[in-house]
Structures are given as C-alpha cells and as structure tokens.
Amino acid sequence: MSEGSAAQHQPRYHHGDLPATLVRTAIAMLDADGDTHLSLRAVAREAGVSSAAPYRHFPDRRALLDAVSAVGFEDLMAALTAEHPRPEDASQLADGAVAYVRFALGRPGLFRVMFLGEGGRTEPARRRITEQIHAHLDAAVQRVFHVDDPAPVTTGLWSLVHGMACLYLYGNLIPATDEEIAERVRTTVAATVGVRTR
C-alpha cells in the first residue's frame, strides 16, 4: 500500500480513542487493497502515531485483528438487516443472502480476517455479535419455515451462502455483474430450500 492511501478514507489520529482509531485505520487499509498481512507498525504509521503506541492497547497483531473481526461482524449484521430487519418470507431471506455475498465481494480483506484469517474465535465482542447474527438468522428461519428447531436449517443456509461467497471470492465461480450474482444467489437459495424467492 502506498503511503497515505488508506488515509484518504481514514482521518489521522490526533486525540481521543486510540484503540478505535487503530481498528478503523486497519479496516480502511483492508478495504483499500484487501491485503490481510497488516502489521501494527504499518497501522500505526497510517494512523499517524508512533510505532510503539498500538502496544499500549494491543499486545500483538492478533489482538488488533480480533478487534477488527468484531467490527467486521457488526458491519455484516448491519448489511443483513439493512433492507429487512425482520425477514418474514423466503424472498426477504434471499435478500439477506445476496447482502452477505455482496459484503464478502465488496470487502474481501475484512471478510478474510473475519472468517479465514486470524480473527479470534473467543474474543468477547466478536462472540457477542456472532451470537446476535445467529439469533437473527434462527428467528428468520423460524418465521419462514415454521420448524421446531431452526438451528440445522440456519447452519445449512449459512454454509450454502458462505460457500457461494467464497467461490466467487476465490474465482471458482465465473465473475459476473452484481445483478447476475444476485440472481444466482437467489435461485440457488430457492433450489436448496424448495420455495420461490420472488
């Protein structure tokens, strides 16, 4: 990444909440070029603080990525609920699937840190927000499919949609326009659950 490239999108630190500034800076760097090999030194430089400053709050790179991962899941939750805070039918559930894939393709660096990188699975903030996402999806599945136990269906649907996101992300599915990807996600969800999504 060239000097100051992420800073075009992220104001440099002057005062206030340094941990939050470092997390926002790291996310801006991930969003700028998708490079997940962030160092604390590079993030500090981009934020405009000394190379020693991050260590007052994050003992190592893993700790910073834990915090980045938690914020990433908050952003994912916001993307899932943007159109339908409370999905009521298969079409609205499919809208959430499309939002999930768009999030992965639009923010690949952050997505990799969240799921495939070094974000901690037991970090408290990350655990809380992932539990909220699970609860949101379980409730939607319960409303749409009227099953006694939504967990297996939720796991199946999440695995399906996450798999599609990864297949596009890593080039296993042929790249397409946003509209074509959305349609493919919808039809795949519909074929899997056996209901119409439109």
Side-chain angles (χ1 to χ4, degrees):
M1 171 179 295
S2 62
E3 181 69 25
S5 58
Q8 296 174 359
H9 308 286
Q10 174 62 47
R12 294 168 73 82
Y13 177 79
H14 295 289
H15 58 80
D17 189 347
L18 180 57
T21 296
L22 293 169
V23 169
R24 288 195 302 270
T25 300
I27 290 174
M29 294 170 72
L30 289 167
D31 286 343
D33 64 11
D35 183 4
T36 60
H37 300 291
L38 299 178
S39 68
L40 284 173
R41 183 181 296 273
V43 174
R45 182 171 61 248
E46 199 71 34
V49 299
S50 72
S51 59
Y55 291 95
R56 300 173 196 150
H57 307 281
F58 301 106
D60 53 28
R61 176 176 177 273
R62 171 64 180 268
L64 175 62
L65 292 183
D66 286 350
V68 166
S69 179
V71 173
F73 278 102
E74 290 173 0
D75 289 353
L76 176 59
M77 180 67 167
L80 293 175
T81 60
E83 288 191 46
H84 307 293
R86 192 176 185 274
E88 299 285 352
D89 56 35
S91 178
Q92 293 181 358
L93 202 60
D95 288 339
V98 171
Y100 189 102
V101 174
R102 283 176 174 159
F103 181 93
L105 299 184
R107 309 182 74 179
L110 179 58
F111 188 80
R112 289 187 179 100
V113 167
M114 291 163 58
F115 288 103
L116 308 174
E118 301 176 54
R121 300 297 191 265
T122 59
E123 199 276 331
R126 181 191 189 281
R127 188 171 62 250
R128 284 193 298 272
I129 186 60
T130 55
E131 287 173 354
Q132 291 175 26
I133 292 175
H134 275 285
H136 169 76
L137 296 176
D138 278 345
V141 165
Q142 181 67 57
R143 286 191 296 271
V144 174
F145 300 109
H146 309 289
V147 290
D148 293 332
D149 180 8
V153 180
T154 299
T155 300
L157 285 174
W158 193 337
S159 299
L160 168 71
V161 177
H162 184 83
M164 291 194 73
C166 290
L167 288 171
Y168 275 117
L169 192 60
Y170 291 101
N172 302 108
L173 287 178
I174 298 173
T177 67
D178 181 72
E179 293 77 10
E180 288 169 339
I181 292 172
E183 181 60 22
R184 188 167 191 175
V185 171
R186 290 183 187 285
T187 56
T188 301
V189 169
T192 302
V193 301
V195 297
R196 294 178 61 86
T197 58
R198 282 296 184 200

